[in-house]
């Protein structure tokens, strides 16, 4: 992931170099050089310290998002860009620098949560966009830097448009409940591959998912629509299967309940309700792959 650095930027170099090249060019070449110089000057004018990124900013990294970052180019969100700031929090519970791995572990846990606040519908994300973050370095930590900046960034290429689309109350309610179900599923995933090796852990996961489904169903009660009603009925049955799994006496009983429970939260089953609510309807490739298997 990209990281911050307290190094001081050298401003204006790109524009100066471009302008110096104009004098030796012919008319056509001079015109191209002038356009290039203008583009260079615009890019320089848009440079901002990575320390001063604000929530919602759309930007282009200067080093392709790898290694240390000093400056990024802030651009209007309706122009092509590689990333958008979707959250920020401070690591303030450590007296001394905890190390790159420790900070990254915190960012891995917190940034998806922060990102979901600004852009809760992950189905609507442009292809190839994922959570990235800027974290303090040991040097910047010594100067008081504690902020982790969370972004949605495209690993290659760019996208256009802001990710923080305005949502209707019923859309927000649906996404909050739906996201909560999958968060509960993956956050409580056992490290063991087989239920027999960690029945307690798998039952705890089932209990968490069942609780998340109950919360989701409570939110769906206030939403009208034929397809939403069908989904509510289906998820009610699914919640019962997760509760059976949570109370399974042994691995065999768990498997019997788990199969329909897991199938019941297949994201493909939510497409019709999402369409009715005006939300994105294409299941992200990584999610589709999980249920296809």
């Amino acid at each position: 992931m990209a990281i911050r650095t307290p190094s001081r930027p050298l401003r204006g170099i790109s524009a100066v170099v471009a302008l110096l090249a104009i004098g030796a060019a012919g008319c056509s070449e001079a015109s191209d050089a002038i356009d290039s110089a203008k583009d260079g000057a615009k890019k320089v004018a848009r440079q901002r310290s990575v320390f001063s990124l604000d929530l919602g900013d759309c930007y282009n990294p200067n080093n392709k998002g790898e290694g240390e970052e000093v400056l990024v180019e802030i651009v209007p969100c309706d122009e092509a860009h590689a990333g958008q700031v979707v959250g920020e929090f401070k690591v303030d519970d450590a007296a001394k620098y905890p190390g790159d791995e420790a900070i990254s572990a915190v960012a891995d846990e917190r940034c998806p949560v922060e990102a979901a606040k600004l852009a809760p519908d992950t189905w609507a994300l442009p292809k190839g966009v994922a959570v990235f973050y800027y974290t303090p370095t040991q040097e910047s930590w010594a100067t008081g830097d504690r902020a982790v900046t969370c972004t949605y960034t495209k690993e290659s290429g760019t996208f256009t448009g802001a990710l923080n689309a305005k949502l209707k109350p019923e859309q927000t309610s649906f996404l909050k409940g739906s996201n909560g179900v999958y968060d509960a599923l993956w956050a409580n995933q056992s490290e063991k591959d087989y239920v027999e090796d960690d029945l307690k852990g798998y039952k705890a996961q089932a209990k968490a998912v069942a609780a998340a489904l109950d919360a989701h169903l409570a939110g769906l009660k206030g939403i009208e629509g034929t397809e939403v009603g069908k989904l509510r009925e289906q998820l009610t049955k699914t919640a019962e299967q997760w509760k059976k799994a949570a109370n399974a006496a042994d691995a065999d009983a768990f498997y019997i309940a788990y199969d329909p429970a897991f199938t019941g939260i297949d994201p493909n089953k939510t497409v019709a309700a999402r369409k009715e609510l005006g939300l994105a309807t294409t299941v992200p490739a990584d999610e589709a792959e999980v249920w296809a298997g």
Side-chain angles (χ1 to χ4, degrees), residues 10-22:
L10 299 175
R11 298 180 181 273
I13 291 179
S14 297
V16 171
V17 172
L19 289 169
L20 288 175
I22 295 176

Side-chain angles (χ1 to χ4, degrees), residues 7 9 43 49 60 70 104 111 123 137 142 148 154 156 165 173 178 194 197 219 231 245 265 272 280-281 290:
S7 302
K43 184 171 183 176
S49 167
N60 288 310
V70 183
S104 292
C111 276
W123 290 30
T137 62
V148 173
K154 195 165 186 178
S156 62
S173 180
S178 180
Y194 299 102
D197 296 328
L231 178 63
I265 58 171
T281 56
V290 170

